[in-house]
């Protein structure tokens, strides 16, 4: 009985070590979003929401415009609250990155911190108040040895509509 328990414990520890060595990250994901303060916009006017993200050290994600159709682009999708129309979402340019096993092939990636902006247009007849703006950042993380299944990171911010000026 003791041998079975010890063998099971060794198997669990070895399995945990192999998972850590493979570069797999916890279910929290490889990208985090910084907290976002409220975005104020007057009815009939526009404002820009700035969303800041951070890719975990040792990882990268494809940019919004990867160099191959086979790669999954990073994309922010937002759902506008009542009284707000979404304008253009702007992404930074990716940095060139080459994998050690194929240095000639350059990828377009984000690593470290990056910023995505979204134009918000408050309709002229929008009611003053605070409204949630929710969305999701879709991405695929990789390290220098492997890419991992795509993930979705929920994001949200508060839009404060003020009366028209």
């Amino acid at each position: 009985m003791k041998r079975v328990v010890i063998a099971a414990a060794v198997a669990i520890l070895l399995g945990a070590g192999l998972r850590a060595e493979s570069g797999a990250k916890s279910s929290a994901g490889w990208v985090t979003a910084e907290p976002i303060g409220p975005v104020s916009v007057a009815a009939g006017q526009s404002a820009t929401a700035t969303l800041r993200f951070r890719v975990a050290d040792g990882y990268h994600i494809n940019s919004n415009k990867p160099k191959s159709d086979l790669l999954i682009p990073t994309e922010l999708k937002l759902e506008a609250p009542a009284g707000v129309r979404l304008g253009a979402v702007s992404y930074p340019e990716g940095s060139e990155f080459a994998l050690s096993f194929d240095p000639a092939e350059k990828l377009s990636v984000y690593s470290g911190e990056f910023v995505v902006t979204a134009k918000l247009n408050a309709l002229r007849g929008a009611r003053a108040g605070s409204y949630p703006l929710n969305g999701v950042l879709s991405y695929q993380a990789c390290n220098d040895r492997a890419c991992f299944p795509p993930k979705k990171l929920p994001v949200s911010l508060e839009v404060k509509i003020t009366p028209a000026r």
Side-chain angles (χ1 to χ4, degrees), residues 74-89:
T74 295
E75 185 176 25
L76 178 65
K77 290 186 180 178
L78 298 170
E79 298 173 16
V84 175
R85 188 173 339 124
L86 292 174
V89 174

Side-chain angles (χ1 to χ4, degrees), residues 73-161:
T74 295
E75 185 176 25
L76 178 65
K77 290 186 180 178
L78 298 170
E79 298 173 16
V84 175
R85 188 173 339 124
L86 292 174
V89 174
S90 299
Y91 300 87
E93 284 192 36
S95 299
E96 283 198 347
F97 178 79
L99 296 167
S100 59
F101 60 84
D102 189 6
E105 179 75 27
K106 302 291 186 204
L107 304 174
S108 176
V109 303
Y110 301 140
S111 58
E113 295 180 9
F114 68 99
V115 174
V116 177
T117 60
K119 190 76 149 188
L120 308 177
N121 301 299
L123 303 178
R124 192 171 300 280
R127 288 183 143 182
S130 294
Y131 302 92
L133 175 72
N134 298 309
V136 95
L137 182 77
S138 300
Y139 67 92
Q140 182 174 26
C142 304
N143 61 21
D144 62 348
R145 293 175 292 191
C147 287
F148 304 97
K151 285 206 163 248
K152 293 183 183 298
L153 174 67
V155 296
S156 63
L157 63 107
E158 180 183 355
V159 178
K160 288 188 175 182
I161 299 177

Side-chain angles (χ1 to χ4, degrees), residues 11-51:
I12 289 170
L13 290 174
L14 285 175
L18 289 174
R19 280 194 303 278
E21 187 176 87
S22 74
K25 194 99 162 106
S26 73
S27 62
W30 295 270
V31 178
T32 54
E34 290 185 19
I36 305 160
V39 176
S40 293
V41 59
Q45 300 294 314
S46 63
T48 300
T50 302
L51 296 98

